[in-house]
């Protein structure tokens, strides 16, 4: 092809002609797409949104400046509950007619109930270790006399083969 | 509009902050609205996200160090807020983000703030088939006329990468529209 005569002094960006086709075809593809996306906004929306933003900001800034402490926050409830609990204990201690023994009885009953409810459990090893530690405890003599043991076995064991032996 | 540097310094001063912020909102509310709307599609959701975006901008303006342009920084916040919004919506409804978009497109026909026709709904469906980043690139380039250089700053991606993503996006969209012409 003949060299163009009128290009002196003019230049093009680097690689301009290399990707020209690609850009051209992209443009053709783009032209087939809709020019707008059909979205609308309510009348006067952009004037109103400014007010919304500022009122929202003023509200949150005021809240940040003067901290509002909710009456029903968790912390408040905990404080109130602990004060109430202390008050009840003090009141019941000073106004109670019951003797210390009565209180002990109540406590023992409560502990028994607590264990019965299976809130606490010991396995066999734990129980034996506790019994061994208590040196004064004599199982044979104190708890199970020979008569008692015999009586218990006669009442509870039904296996006749044992008697035959 | 007043010079950006002055605006930023006013925004970061206690004395002029509110006035400067009013100028900022006036200048950018429409652009950011349309940017968000293309991501979340529904007007009411866009309104929520736009307000959250400006509140976040107001609260974090002291963290703006001027490494990028102010509008780039704001677009980044708006984009993050929009995507966070979609993710939250997906989590609340126990669905994927794609399903949230699909539901939003299906609601367009009955949306009083949508006056597009069938082809525009098809276009939204086609955009929704793209990966999230390609969707952003396509919307910002095709509808908002950002330059690749601006996009590169906002999306923190190289110009070359953006160009090829945009080409791929346009190709995918035209193919989708062609194959769904009769729908």
């Amino acid at each position: 092809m003949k060299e163009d005569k009128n290009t002196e002094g003019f230049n093009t960006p680097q690689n301009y002609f290399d990707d020209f086709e690609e850009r051209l075809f992209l443009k053709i593809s783009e032209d087939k797409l809709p020019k707008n996306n059909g979205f609308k906004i309510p009348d006067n929306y952009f004037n109103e949104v400014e007010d919304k933003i500022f009122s929202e900001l003023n509200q949150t800034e005021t809240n940040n400046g003067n901290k509002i402490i909710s009456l029903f926050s968790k912390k408040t409830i905990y404080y109130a509950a602990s004060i109430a609990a202390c008050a009840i204990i003090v009141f019941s201690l000073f106004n109670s007619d019951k003797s210390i023994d009565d209180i002990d009885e109540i406590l023992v009953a409560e502990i028994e109930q607590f264990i019965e409810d299976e809130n606490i459990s010991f396995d066999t090893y734990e129980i034996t270790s506790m019994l061994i530690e208590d040196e004064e405890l004599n199982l044979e003599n104190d708890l199970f006399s020979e008569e008692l043991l015999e009586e218990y076995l006669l009442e509870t064991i039904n296996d006749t083969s044992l008697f035959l032996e | 509009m007043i010079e950006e540097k002055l605006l930023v310094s006013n925004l970061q001063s206690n004395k002029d902050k509110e006035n400067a912020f009013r100028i900022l909102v006036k200048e950018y509310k429409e652009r950011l609205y349309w940017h968000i709307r293309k991501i979340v599609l529904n007007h009411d959701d866009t309104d929520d996200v736009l307000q959250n975006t400006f509140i976040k901008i107001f609260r974090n303006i002291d963290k703006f160090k001027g490494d990028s342009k102010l509008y780039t920084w704001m677009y980044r916040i708006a984009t993050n807020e929009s995507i966070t919004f979609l993710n939250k919506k997906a989590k609340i409804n126990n669905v994927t983000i794609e399903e949230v978009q699909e539901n939003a497109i299906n609601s367009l026909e009955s949306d009083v703030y949508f006056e597009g026709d069938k082809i525009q709904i098809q276009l939204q469906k086609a955009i929704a088939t793209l990966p999230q980043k390609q969707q952003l690139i396509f919307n910002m380039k095709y509808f908002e006329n950002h330059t690749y250089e601006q996009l590169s700053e906002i999306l923190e991606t190289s110009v070359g990468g953006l160009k090829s993503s945009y080409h791929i996006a346009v190709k995918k969209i035209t193919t989708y529209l062609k194959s769904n012409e009769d729908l």
Side-chain angles (χ1 to χ4, degrees):
Chain A
M1 214 204 293
K2 232 170 95 182
E3 196 67 27
D4 203 335
K5 279 181 185 170
N6 301 315
T7 54
E8 203 176 318
F10 293 103
N11 210 345
T12 60
Q14 217 180 351
N15 304 327
Y16 173 76
F17 291 109
D18 292 347
D19 57 4
F20 179 78
E21 290 94 326
E22 206 181 327
R23 278 183 287 113
L24 179 70
F25 289 119
L26 182 71
K27 190 95 191 103
I28 292 167
S29 298
E30 277 180 332
D31 283 345
K32 287 179 193 157
L33 300 178
K35 292 288 167 280
N36 68 67
N37 45 27
F39 295 139
K40 258 194 347 172
I41 47 159
D43 293 338
N44 217 21
Y45 170 72
F46 285 122
N47 290 330
E48 285 163 7
V49 75
E50 270 186 46
D51 296 337
K52 277 195 211 170
I53 292 164
F54 281 96
S55 72
E56 177 82 11
L57 261 181
N58 286 336
Q59 208 179 332
T60 49
E61 293 306 300
T62 314
N63 289 354
N64 288 344
N66 311 303
K67 280 196 174 168
I68 294 169
I69 301 163
S70 166
L71 273 176
F72 300 104
S73 74
K74 263 190 183 172
K75 259 191 180 172
T76 323
I77 291 168
Y78 290 150
Y79 286 140
S82 46
I83 291 166
C86 290
I88 289 166
I89 291 168
V90 169
F91 186 78
S92 58
L93 279 178
F94 288 100
N95 290 284
S96 172
D97 293 333
K98 286 181 179 167
S99 65
I100 301 284
D101 288 345
D102 289 339
I103 292 170
D104 279 351
E105 270 174 33
I106 293 163
L107 285 176
V108 169
E110 276 176 6
I111 292 166
E112 278 173 358
Q113 187 61 45
F114 185 75
I115 296 169
E116 272 171 23
D117 290 345
E118 293 183 344
N119 288 316
I120 192 164
S121 63
F122 297 111
D123 63 23
T124 330
Y125 289 105
E126 282 170 325
I127 291 168
T128 38
S129 71
M130 275 187 255
L131 293 174
I132 290 162
E133 275 168 23
D134 194 348
E135 285 173 2
E136 286 176 20
L137 190 71
N138 188 331
L139 282 178
E140 274 179 34
N141 297 337
D142 293 354
L143 290 176
F144 307 111
S145 67
E146 220 163 278
E147 292 85 40
L148 274 174
L149 201 61
E150 206 171 302
E151 201 181 317
Y152 171 80
L153 288 172
L154 282 169
E155 277 176 14
T156 52
I157 297 177
N158 293 322
D159 194 345
T160 46
S161 62
L162 277 172
F163 292 109
L164 292 173
E165 283 172 12
Chain B
M1 170 147 186
I2 62 170
E3 198 210 329
E4 187 174 299
K5 260 192 179 170
L6 181 64
L7 183 67
V8 172
S9 85
N10 286 348
L11 281 166
Q12 291 176 338
S13 80
N14 283 332
K15 204 177 118 224
D16 303 308
K17 189 169 184 170
E18 198 175 318
N19 277 339
F21 191 63
R22 280 186 189 278
I23 295 170
L24 189 82
V25 174
K26 209 176 267 300
E27 179 71 22
Y28 286 101
K29 61 186 175 186
E30 292 195 31
R31 276 188 267 178
L32 290 183
Y33 173 90
W34 289 116
H35 175 62
I36 297 164
R37 178 81 184 259
K38 283 176 205 98
I39 305 171
V40 302
L41 303 180
N42 165 293
H43 166 73
D44 291 329
D45 291 344
T46 307
D47 182 39
D48 284 345
V49 177
L50 181 69
Q51 289 182 50
N52 290 342
T53 301
F54 274 117
I55 287 164
K56 209 157 218 180
I57 290 167
F58 185 84
R59 294 229 176 98
N60 292 289
I61 192 68
D62 293 334
K63 290 180 194 154
F64 175 70
K65 299 279 177 259
D67 301 332
S68 59
K69 288 199 179 76
L70 182 62
Y71 93 88
T72 307
W73 182 72
M74 295 200 305
Y75 262 91
R76 236 181 269 159
I77 293 176
T79 310
N80 286 343
E81 283 293 304
S82 308
I83 292 168
T84 306
F85 174 85
L86 291 180
N87 281 328
K88 265 190 202 163
K89 208 172 181 181
K91 212 174 175 187
I92 289 167
N93 296 309
N94 206 17
V95 292
T96 61
I97 196 166
E98 289 79 16
E99 283 171 301
V100 171
Q101 279 184 303
E102 202 183 310
N103 291 340
I105 295 168
N106 291 336
S107 311
L108 280 177
E109 267 173 294
S110 57
D111 190 340
V112 286
Y113 300 121
F114 181 75
E115 56 185 13
D117 51 24
K118 219 171 164 187
I119 179 75
Q120 275 142 338
I121 289 181
Q122 287 295 84
L123 175 64
Q124 288 305 323
K125 285 184 181 172
I127 295 170
T129 63
L130 305 174
Q132 187 75 56
K133 197 159 183 182
Q134 267 180 30
Q135 291 186 29
L136 285 171
I137 296 166
F138 177 79
N139 279 327
M140 293 175 87
K141 183 82 186 81
Y142 184 71
F143 287 117
E144 298 168 40
N145 291 320
H146 284 282
T147 63
Y148 284 118
E149 286 69 26
Q150 288 169 331
L151 282 182
S152 169
E153 258 199 65
I154 296 166
L155 301 172
E156 293 171 308
T157 308
S158 71
V159 170
L162 287 167
K163 277 184 182 174
S164 73
S165 284
Y166 182 67
H167 283 215
I168 294 167
V170 172
K171 264 184 204 164
K172 278 187 194 169
I173 288 170
T174 44
T175 312
Y176 180 94
L177 291 177
K178 221 177 253 175
S179 59
N180 290 280
E181 249 169 0
D182 302 327
L183 293 178

